[in-house]
Amino acid sequence: MGLKQWFEASKIPSDRVTELDWWNETLISFGPSSEQPSSSSKELSPDAALNLKVAFTPAQHRSGRGLMDHMKTLWGSWCVGVVDQGDIKKAEQRGMKEWSGFKMFFGG
């Protein structure tokens, strides 16, 4: 949170930027390789080549590099779950429990 303006100033389209608070989630569908990923907080595409659920999790880090920008943005880590076809309806609910083809990755 707090960096959307920076991404837009860097020529990244607004519809490609999703700001999340800690523990918020978003869903992303990737179509055929020639298509751009679509970000949605509500629906996944059963026809997509890849569906992901991304959760923004807390990290032990303080944001800011200068004297006046301390704690102006939210620093965190990512939990990314690959959503199999059988889990599409479950992925629309909060959390990642009881997915049939559970694959999760973590980055910080």
Side-chain angles (χ1 to χ4, degrees):
M1 269 181 27
L3 291 173
K4 186 171 186 169
Q5 290 178 339
W6 180 86
F7 284 105
E8 291 172 339
S10 299
K11 307 289 190 244
I12 296 172
S14 178
D15 64 336
R16 303 278 315 269
V17 179
T18 302
E19 291 187 305
L20 300 173
D21 201 348
W22 285 340
W23 302 113
N24 287 162
E25 302 169 340
T26 192
L27 303 170
I28 303 170
S29 290
F30 292 87
S33 60
S34 61
E35 292 181 19
Q36 296 292 330
S38 67
S39 176
S40 164
S41 60
K42 297 181 182 169
E43 295 181 15
L44 290 173
S45 171
D47 300 325
L50 177 64
N51 285 307
L52 299 175
K53 183 172 194 172
V54 180
F56 187 57
T57 57
Q60 296 289 328
H61 196 286
R62 294 183 176 265
S63 67
R65 297 288 184 253
L67 294 174
M68 305 303 284
D69 64 353
H70 183 70
M71 301 303 282
K72 299 284 184 188
T73 61
L74 191 59
W75 192 276
S77 302
W78 304 99
C79 248
V80 180
V82 177
V83 182
D84 287 342
Q85 291 295 327
D87 294 325
I88 287 181
K89 292 296 180 193
K90 290 179 188 175
E92 294 170 0
Q93 299 170 5
R94 188 163 167 80
M96 299 180 190
K97 289 184 179 180
E98 300 177 8
W99 289 13
S100 62
F102 190 72
K103 297 177 196 101
M104 185 173 75
F105 306 92
F106 180 77

